[in-house]
Amino acid sequence: MLWHNPDRTTATRAEFDERLQRILEEDAWILDGNFARTLPKRLEYCDTVFLLDFPTDVCLEGVEGRSGMKREDMPWVEHEFDEEFRQYIIDFPAERRPQMVDALEDAAARRGVRVHTLTSRAELVQALADVLSGLEVGRARACLTFIMYRYATYWASR
């Protein structure tokens, strides 16, 4: 885990950056998290992005549906939907999404990063099936970055 510690604390910025860099230097990796501060660094190491740009109501339902469930990305179980987090999701399309889309467009233009924007769970299922069947990347380095319940998957080959 990059951000969460088993004791319900979070990593310091320095710890997080060190953990991230170690992962980025590996041959294969998957990352999960909405870390806008490190998006440019992650984009340096990938060649394909799958941005799950789901409607806000779908994002909210997803969080509500996971409440009380064990998750791989957290060493504890969240039993309630934090109101501040809910508001963050609601505000995301206007306050955060434009900068992320700009960064993805820039990476596409400057480095040739392939950006696939998926707007429904059906599109996600098909994209995952394509990746798993080897149609999208073959042997690659992968980074799954979760952008506020609008997921982005980054793939990079060395």
Short mmCIF file of all heavy atoms in Angstrom, two decimals, residues 20-72:
data_model
loop_
_atom_site.label_atom_id
_atom_site.label_comp_id
_atom_site.label_asym_id
_atom_site.label_seq_id
_atom_site.Cartn_x
_atom_site.Cartn_y
_atom_site.Cartn_z
N LEU A 20 6.36 5.27 -4.07
CA LEU A 20 5.94 5.41 -5.46
C LEU A 20 7.12 5.21 -6.40
O LEU A 20 7.03 4.46 -7.38
CB LEU A 20 5.29 6.78 -5.70
CG LEU A 20 4.91 7.08 -7.14
CD1 LEU A 20 3.87 6.10 -7.67
CD2 LEU A 20 4.41 8.52 -7.27
N GLN A 21 8.23 5.87 -6.12
CA GLN A 21 9.40 5.76 -7.01
C GLN A 21 9.89 4.33 -7.11
O GLN A 21 10.24 3.86 -8.19
CB GLN A 21 10.52 6.69 -6.54
CG GLN A 21 11.65 6.80 -7.54
CD GLN A 21 11.19 7.34 -8.88
OE1 GLN A 21 10.44 8.30 -8.96
NE2 GLN A 21 11.62 6.71 -9.96
N ARG A 22 9.92 3.62 -5.97
CA ARG A 22 10.35 2.21 -5.99
C ARG A 22 9.43 1.40 -6.91
O ARG A 22 9.90 0.56 -7.68
CB ARG A 22 10.33 1.62 -4.58
CG ARG A 22 11.56 1.95 -3.78
CD ARG A 22 11.69 1.04 -2.55
NE ARG A 22 10.48 0.87 -1.80
CZ ARG A 22 10.18 1.49 -0.65
NH1 ARG A 22 11.05 2.33 -0.11
NH2 ARG A 22 9.06 1.27 -0.03
N ILE A 23 8.14 1.65 -6.84
CA ILE A 23 7.19 0.93 -7.68
C ILE A 23 7.38 1.29 -9.15
O ILE A 23 7.41 0.41 -10.02
CB ILE A 23 5.75 1.20 -7.23
CG1 ILE A 23 5.50 0.56 -5.87
CG2 ILE A 23 4.74 0.71 -8.26
CD1 ILE A 23 4.22 1.00 -5.19
N LEU A 24 7.51 2.56 -9.44
CA LEU A 24 7.66 3.00 -10.83
C LEU A 24 8.89 2.42 -11.50
O LEU A 24 8.93 2.25 -12.72
CB LEU A 24 7.70 4.53 -10.91
CG LEU A 24 6.41 5.26 -10.53
CD1 LEU A 24 6.64 6.77 -10.53
CD2 LEU A 24 5.26 4.87 -11.43
N GLU A 25 9.91 2.10 -10.72
CA GLU A 25 11.14 1.54 -11.28
C GLU A 25 11.08 0.03 -11.49
O GLU A 25 11.98 -0.55 -12.09
CB GLU A 25 12.32 1.92 -10.37
CG GLU A 25 12.61 3.40 -10.44
CD GLU A 25 13.64 3.87 -9.43
OE1 GLU A 25 14.17 3.03 -8.67
OE2 GLU A 25 13.90 5.09 -9.40
N GLU A 26 10.00 -0.59 -11.02
CA GLU A 26 9.80 -2.03 -11.24
C GLU A 26 9.40 -2.29 -12.68
O GLU A 26 8.94 -1.41 -13.40
CB GLU A 26 8.72 -2.56 -10.30
CG GLU A 26 9.09 -2.51 -8.84
CD GLU A 26 10.18 -3.52 -8.48
OE1 GLU A 26 10.21 -4.61 -9.10
OE2 GLU A 26 11.00 -3.20 -7.61
N ASP A 27 9.54 -3.56 -13.10
CA ASP A 27 9.15 -3.94 -14.46
C ASP A 27 7.64 -4.02 -14.64
O ASP A 27 7.14 -3.82 -15.75
CB ASP A 27 9.77 -5.28 -14.84
CG ASP A 27 11.26 -5.16 -15.06
OD1 ASP A 27 11.72 -4.05 -15.40
OD2 ASP A 27 11.97 -6.16 -14.88
N ALA A 28 6.92 -4.35 -13.58
CA ALA A 28 5.46 -4.46 -13.68
C ALA A 28 4.86 -3.96 -12.37
O ALA A 28 5.39 -4.25 -11.30
CB ALA A 28 5.05 -5.91 -13.91
N TRP A 29 3.79 -3.19 -12.49
CA TRP A 29 3.18 -2.65 -11.29
C TRP A 29 1.75 -2.21 -11.56
O TRP A 29 1.36 -1.96 -12.68
CB TRP A 29 3.96 -1.49 -10.70
CG TRP A 29 4.62 -0.58 -11.70
CD1 TRP A 29 5.91 -0.66 -12.12
CD2 TRP A 29 4.05 0.55 -12.37
NE1 TRP A 29 6.17 0.35 -13.02
CE2 TRP A 29 5.05 1.11 -13.18
CE3 TRP A 29 2.79 1.15 -12.36
CZ2 TRP A 29 4.83 2.22 -13.98
CZ3 TRP A 29 2.57 2.26 -13.17
CH2 TRP A 29 3.59 2.79 -13.96
N ILE A 30 0.98 -2.16 -10.48
CA ILE A 30 -0.38 -1.62 -10.50
C ILE A 30 -0.49 -0.68 -9.32
O ILE A 30 -0.13 -1.04 -8.20
CB ILE A 30 -1.44 -2.73 -10.37
CG1 ILE A 30 -1.36 -3.67 -11.58
CG2 ILE A 30 -2.84 -2.13 -10.24
CD1 ILE A 30 -2.27 -4.87 -11.47
N LEU A 31 -0.96 0.52 -9.57
CA LEU A 31 -1.16 1.52 -8.52
C LEU A 31 -2.62 1.89 -8.46
O LEU A 31 -3.29 1.96 -9.48
CB LEU A 31 -0.34 2.78 -8.80
CG LEU A 31 1.16 2.64 -8.80
CD1 LEU A 31 1.82 3.94 -9.21
CD2 LEU A 31 1.64 2.22 -7.42
N ASP A 32 -3.09 2.17 -7.28
CA ASP A 32 -4.47 2.56 -7.07
C ASP A 32 -4.47 3.78 -6.17
O ASP A 32 -3.88 3.76 -5.10
CB ASP A 32 -5.21 1.40 -6.42
CG ASP A 32 -6.63 1.72 -6.06
OD1 ASP A 32 -7.23 2.59 -6.71
OD2 ASP A 32 -7.14 1.09 -5.13
N GLY A 33 -5.09 4.85 -6.60
CA GLY A 33 -5.18 6.03 -5.74
C GLY A 33 -5.35 7.30 -6.53
O GLY A 33 -4.93 7.41 -7.67
N ASN A 34 -5.99 8.27 -5.92
CA ASN A 34 -6.24 9.57 -6.52
C ASN A 34 -5.19 10.55 -5.99
O ASN A 34 -5.43 11.25 -5.04
CB ASN A 34 -7.64 10.05 -6.17
CG ASN A 34 -7.89 11.44 -6.70
OD1 ASN A 34 -7.29 11.85 -7.68
ND2 ASN A 34 -8.74 12.18 -6.03
N PHE A 35 -4.04 10.55 -6.59
CA PHE A 35 -2.94 11.37 -6.11
C PHE A 35 -2.56 12.36 -7.21
O PHE A 35 -1.61 12.14 -7.96
CB PHE A 35 -1.75 10.49 -5.70
CG PHE A 35 -2.16 9.39 -4.74
CD1 PHE A 35 -2.19 8.08 -5.14
CD2 PHE A 35 -2.55 9.72 -3.45
CE1 PHE A 35 -2.58 7.08 -4.27
CE2 PHE A 35 -2.95 8.72 -2.57
CZ PHE A 35 -2.96 7.40 -2.98
N ALA A 36 -3.30 13.45 -7.30
CA ALA A 36 -3.09 14.44 -8.35
C ALA A 36 -1.69 15.00 -8.32
O ALA A 36 -1.10 15.28 -9.37
CB ALA A 36 -4.12 15.56 -8.23
N ARG A 37 -1.12 15.13 -7.14
CA ARG A 37 0.22 15.69 -7.02
C ARG A 37 1.26 14.87 -7.78
O ARG A 37 2.22 15.41 -8.33
CB ARG A 37 0.61 15.78 -5.53
CG ARG A 37 1.98 16.35 -5.26
CD ARG A 37 2.27 16.42 -3.77
NE ARG A 37 2.37 15.12 -3.15
CZ ARG A 37 3.48 14.36 -3.18
NH1 ARG A 37 4.56 14.78 -3.80
NH2 ARG A 37 3.50 13.20 -2.56
N THR A 38 1.07 13.56 -7.84
CA THR A 38 2.05 12.70 -8.50
C THR A 38 1.62 12.24 -9.89
O THR A 38 2.31 11.43 -10.50
CB THR A 38 2.37 11.47 -7.62
OG1 THR A 38 1.17 10.72 -7.42
CG2 THR A 38 2.97 11.90 -6.28
N LEU A 39 0.51 12.76 -10.38
CA LEU A 39 0.05 12.36 -11.72
C LEU A 39 1.11 12.59 -12.78
O LEU A 39 1.37 11.70 -13.59
CB LEU A 39 -1.25 13.08 -12.08
CG LEU A 39 -1.84 12.74 -13.44
CD1 LEU A 39 -2.20 11.27 -13.54
CD2 LEU A 39 -3.07 13.60 -13.70
N PRO A 40 1.78 13.76 -12.83
CA PRO A 40 2.81 13.94 -13.86
C PRO A 40 3.91 12.88 -13.81
O PRO A 40 4.34 12.37 -14.84
CB PRO A 40 3.37 15.33 -13.56
CG PRO A 40 2.24 16.05 -12.88
CD PRO A 40 1.58 14.98 -12.04
N LYS A 41 4.34 12.52 -12.62
CA LYS A 41 5.39 11.49 -12.48
C LYS A 41 4.89 10.16 -13.01
O LYS A 41 5.60 9.46 -13.73
CB LYS A 41 5.84 11.37 -11.03
CG LYS A 41 6.89 10.28 -10.84
CD LYS A 41 7.50 10.35 -9.50
CE LYS A 41 8.90 10.81 -9.41
NZ LYS A 41 9.78 11.03 -10.44
N ARG A 42 3.66 9.78 -12.65
CA ARG A 42 3.12 8.51 -13.12
C ARG A 42 2.97 8.51 -14.64
O ARG A 42 3.21 7.51 -15.29
CB ARG A 42 1.79 8.21 -12.43
CG ARG A 42 2.02 7.82 -10.97
CD ARG A 42 0.72 7.59 -10.22
NE ARG A 42 0.15 8.89 -9.87
CZ ARG A 42 -1.14 9.19 -9.97
NH1 ARG A 42 -1.98 8.30 -10.41
NH2 ARG A 42 -1.58 10.38 -9.62
N LEU A 43 2.59 9.65 -15.20
CA LEU A 43 2.44 9.74 -16.65
C LEU A 43 3.77 9.60 -17.37
O LEU A 43 3.81 9.19 -18.53
CB LEU A 43 1.75 11.05 -17.03
CG LEU A 43 0.26 11.13 -16.70
CD1 LEU A 43 -0.28 12.53 -16.94
CD2 LEU A 43 -0.53 10.09 -17.48
N GLU A 44 4.88 9.94 -16.72
CA GLU A 44 6.20 9.77 -17.32
C GLU A 44 6.52 8.29 -17.55
O GLU A 44 7.34 7.97 -18.40
CB GLU A 44 7.29 10.35 -16.40
CG GLU A 44 7.33 11.84 -16.32
CD GLU A 44 8.36 12.31 -15.29
OE1 GLU A 44 9.34 11.57 -15.01
OE2 GLU A 44 8.16 13.41 -14.76
N TYR A 45 5.93 7.42 -16.76
CA TYR A 45 6.27 6.00 -16.79
C TYR A 45 5.25 5.13 -17.52
O TYR A 45 5.36 3.92 -17.48
CB TYR A 45 6.43 5.48 -15.36
CG TYR A 45 7.70 5.93 -14.69
CD1 TYR A 45 7.79 7.19 -14.10
CD2 TYR A 45 8.81 5.09 -14.65
CE1 TYR A 45 8.96 7.60 -13.48
CE2 TYR A 45 9.98 5.49 -14.02
CZ TYR A 45 10.05 6.75 -13.44
OH TYR A 45 11.21 7.15 -12.83
N CYS A 46 4.28 5.70 -18.16
CA CYS A 46 3.25 4.86 -18.79
C CYS A 46 3.15 5.16 -20.27
O CYS A 46 3.64 6.17 -20.76
CB CYS A 46 1.90 5.08 -18.12
SG CYS A 46 1.15 6.68 -18.47
N ASP A 47 2.49 4.25 -21.01
CA ASP A 47 2.24 4.50 -22.41
C ASP A 47 0.76 4.42 -22.78
O ASP A 47 0.38 4.81 -23.87
CB ASP A 47 3.07 3.59 -23.32
CG ASP A 47 2.80 2.12 -23.10
OD1 ASP A 47 1.69 1.75 -22.69
OD2 ASP A 47 3.72 1.32 -23.34
N THR A 48 -0.07 3.95 -21.86
CA THR A 48 -1.51 3.88 -22.10
C THR A 48 -2.26 4.22 -20.82
O THR A 48 -1.85 3.80 -19.75
CB THR A 48 -1.93 2.46 -22.55
OG1 THR A 48 -1.19 2.11 -23.72
CG2 THR A 48 -3.43 2.40 -22.87
N VAL A 49 -3.34 4.98 -20.95
CA VAL A 49 -4.17 5.35 -19.81
C VAL A 49 -5.61 4.98 -20.12
O VAL A 49 -6.11 5.29 -21.20
CB VAL A 49 -4.09 6.86 -19.52
CG1 VAL A 49 -5.07 7.25 -18.42
CG2 VAL A 49 -2.69 7.29 -19.17
N PHE A 50 -6.25 4.33 -19.18
CA PHE A 50 -7.69 4.10 -19.24
C PHE A 50 -8.31 4.96 -18.14
O PHE A 50 -8.14 4.68 -16.96
CB PHE A 50 -8.03 2.62 -19.00
CG PHE A 50 -7.56 1.73 -20.09
CD1 PHE A 50 -6.30 1.16 -20.02
CD2 PHE A 50 -8.35 1.47 -21.19
CE1 PHE A 50 -5.85 0.33 -21.03
CE2 PHE A 50 -7.91 0.64 -22.20
CZ PHE A 50 -6.66 0.07 -22.14
N LEU A 51 -8.99 6.00 -18.53
CA LEU A 51 -9.63 6.90 -17.58
C LEU A 51 -11.09 6.52 -17.44
O LEU A 51 -11.85 6.62 -18.40
CB LEU A 51 -9.52 8.35 -18.07
CG LEU A 51 -10.30 9.39 -17.27
CD1 LEU A 51 -9.80 9.48 -15.84
CD2 LEU A 51 -10.23 10.74 -17.96
N LEU A 52 -11.47 6.07 -16.26
CA LEU A 52 -12.87 5.75 -16.01
C LEU A 52 -13.55 7.02 -15.53
O LEU A 52 -13.42 7.41 -14.39
CB LEU A 52 -13.01 4.62 -14.98
CG LEU A 52 -12.95 3.24 -15.61
CD1 LEU A 52 -11.59 2.97 -16.19
CD2 LEU A 52 -13.32 2.20 -14.60
N ASP A 53 -14.22 7.64 -16.43
CA ASP A 53 -14.84 8.94 -16.20
C ASP A 53 -16.34 8.74 -16.02
O ASP A 53 -17.14 9.17 -16.84
CB ASP A 53 -14.52 9.84 -17.40
CG ASP A 53 -14.80 11.28 -17.12
OD1 ASP A 53 -15.04 11.63 -15.96
OD2 ASP A 53 -14.79 12.07 -18.08
N PHE A 54 -16.69 8.07 -14.94
CA PHE A 54 -18.07 7.72 -14.67
C PHE A 54 -18.87 8.91 -14.17
O PHE A 54 -18.31 9.82 -13.54
CB PHE A 54 -18.16 6.61 -13.63
CG PHE A 54 -17.63 5.27 -14.06
CD1 PHE A 54 -17.43 4.28 -13.14
CD2 PHE A 54 -17.32 4.99 -15.38
CE1 PHE A 54 -16.96 3.03 -13.50
CE2 PHE A 54 -16.85 3.76 -15.78
CZ PHE A 54 -16.66 2.77 -14.82
N PRO A 55 -20.18 8.90 -14.40
CA PRO A 55 -21.04 9.96 -13.85
C PRO A 55 -20.96 9.99 -12.32
O PRO A 55 -20.72 8.96 -11.67
CB PRO A 55 -22.45 9.55 -14.30
CG PRO A 55 -22.24 8.65 -15.46
CD PRO A 55 -20.94 7.93 -15.19
N THR A 56 -21.15 11.16 -11.76
CA THR A 56 -21.03 11.33 -10.31
C THR A 56 -21.94 10.38 -9.53
O THR A 56 -21.52 9.80 -8.53
CB THR A 56 -21.33 12.79 -9.93
OG1 THR A 56 -20.37 13.62 -10.61
CG2 THR A 56 -21.22 13.02 -8.43
N ASP A 57 -23.17 10.18 -10.00
CA ASP A 57 -24.07 9.29 -9.26
C ASP A 57 -23.55 7.86 -9.23
O ASP A 57 -23.68 7.17 -8.21
CB ASP A 57 -25.50 9.35 -9.81
CG ASP A 57 -25.63 8.90 -11.25
OD1 ASP A 57 -24.70 9.14 -12.05
OD2 ASP A 57 -26.67 8.31 -11.59
N VAL A 58 -22.92 7.42 -10.29
CA VAL A 58 -22.32 6.08 -10.31
C VAL A 58 -21.16 6.00 -9.33
O VAL A 58 -20.99 5.02 -8.62
CB VAL A 58 -21.88 5.71 -11.74
CG1 VAL A 58 -21.10 4.40 -11.76
CG2 VAL A 58 -23.08 5.64 -12.67
N CYS A 59 -20.36 7.07 -9.27
CA CYS A 59 -19.24 7.12 -8.33
C CYS A 59 -19.73 7.06 -6.88
O CYS A 59 -19.19 6.32 -6.06
CB CYS A 59 -18.42 8.38 -8.56
SG CYS A 59 -17.72 8.51 -10.20
N LEU A 60 -20.75 7.83 -6.58
CA LEU A 60 -21.30 7.85 -5.22
C LEU A 60 -21.88 6.48 -4.86
O LEU A 60 -21.67 5.99 -3.75
CB LEU A 60 -22.36 8.94 -5.09
CG LEU A 60 -21.83 10.37 -5.18
CD1 LEU A 60 -22.99 11.36 -5.32
CD2 LEU A 60 -20.96 10.71 -3.99
N GLU A 61 -22.61 5.88 -5.79
CA GLU A 61 -23.18 4.55 -5.54
C GLU A 61 -22.08 3.52 -5.30
O GLU A 61 -22.23 2.63 -4.47
CB GLU A 61 -24.05 4.11 -6.72
CG GLU A 61 -25.34 4.87 -6.84
CD GLU A 61 -26.04 4.63 -8.18
OE1 GLU A 61 -25.61 3.75 -8.96
OE2 GLU A 61 -27.02 5.35 -8.45
N GLY A 62 -20.97 3.65 -6.03
CA GLY A 62 -19.86 2.72 -5.85
C GLY A 62 -19.28 2.80 -4.45
O GLY A 62 -19.00 1.78 -3.83
N VAL A 63 -19.09 4.01 -3.95
CA VAL A 63 -18.55 4.18 -2.59
C VAL A 63 -19.55 3.65 -1.58
O VAL A 63 -19.18 2.92 -0.65
CB VAL A 63 -18.22 5.66 -2.30
CG1 VAL A 63 -17.78 5.84 -0.86
CG2 VAL A 63 -17.14 6.17 -3.25
N GLU A 64 -20.81 4.00 -1.74
CA GLU A 64 -21.83 3.52 -0.80
C GLU A 64 -21.90 2.00 -0.81
O GLU A 64 -22.05 1.38 0.24
CB GLU A 64 -23.19 4.14 -1.16
CG GLU A 64 -23.24 5.63 -0.85
CD GLU A 64 -24.43 6.35 -1.47
OE1 GLU A 64 -25.16 5.74 -2.29
OE2 GLU A 64 -24.61 7.53 -1.14
N GLY A 65 -21.78 1.41 -1.99
CA GLY A 65 -21.85 -0.04 -2.11
C GLY A 65 -20.67 -0.76 -1.47
O GLY A 65 -20.77 -1.92 -1.07
N ARG A 66 -19.52 -0.09 -1.36
CA ARG A 66 -18.34 -0.69 -0.74
C ARG A 66 -18.30 -0.49 0.77
O ARG A 66 -17.46 -1.08 1.44
CB ARG A 66 -17.07 -0.11 -1.37
CG ARG A 66 -16.80 -0.61 -2.76
CD ARG A 66 -15.44 -0.18 -3.26
NE ARG A 66 -15.32 1.26 -3.39
CZ ARG A 66 -15.74 1.97 -4.43
NH1 ARG A 66 -16.35 1.37 -5.42
NH2 ARG A 66 -15.56 3.27 -4.46
N SER A 67 -19.15 0.33 1.30
CA SER A 67 -19.15 0.59 2.73
C SER A 67 -19.38 -0.71 3.49
O SER A 67 -20.29 -1.48 3.17
CB SER A 67 -20.25 1.60 3.08
OG SER A 67 -20.22 1.91 4.45
N GLY A 68 -18.52 -0.95 4.47
CA GLY A 68 -18.63 -2.16 5.27
C GLY A 68 -17.95 -3.37 4.66
O GLY A 68 -17.97 -4.45 5.26
N MET A 69 -17.33 -3.21 3.49
CA MET A 69 -16.67 -4.34 2.82
C MET A 69 -15.15 -4.23 2.95
O MET A 69 -14.61 -3.15 2.92
CB MET A 69 -17.05 -4.35 1.34
CG MET A 69 -18.52 -4.58 1.08
SD MET A 69 -18.92 -4.49 -0.68
CE MET A 69 -18.02 -5.88 -1.30
N LYS A 70 -14.50 -5.38 3.07
CA LYS A 70 -13.04 -5.43 3.07
C LYS A 70 -12.55 -5.11 1.66
O LYS A 70 -13.11 -5.57 0.68
CB LYS A 70 -12.56 -6.81 3.49
CG LYS A 70 -11.05 -6.92 3.57
CD LYS A 70 -10.66 -8.20 4.25
CE LYS A 70 -9.17 -8.45 4.26
NZ LYS A 70 -8.28 -7.35 4.32
N ARG A 71 -11.50 -4.27 1.60
CA ARG A 71 -10.92 -3.88 0.31
C ARG A 71 -9.44 -4.19 0.29
O ARG A 71 -8.78 -4.13 1.33
CB ARG A 71 -11.13 -2.37 0.09
CG ARG A 71 -12.57 -1.98 -0.01
CD ARG A 71 -12.79 -0.49 -0.04
NE ARG A 71 -11.73 0.25 -0.70
CZ ARG A 71 -11.65 1.58 -0.68
NH1 ARG A 71 -12.54 2.29 -0.04
NH2 ARG A 71 -10.67 2.19 -1.30
N GLU A 72 -8.91 -4.45 -0.88
CA GLU A 72 -7.49 -4.74 -1.04
C GLU A 72 -6.63 -3.51 -0.81
O GLU A 72 -5.47 -3.62 -0.44
CB GLU A 72 -7.21 -5.31 -2.43
CG GLU A 72 -7.80 -6.68 -2.65
CD GLU A 72 -7.21 -7.71 -1.71
OE1 GLU A 72 -5.99 -7.70 -1.46
OE2 GLU A 72 -8.00 -8.53 -1.20
#
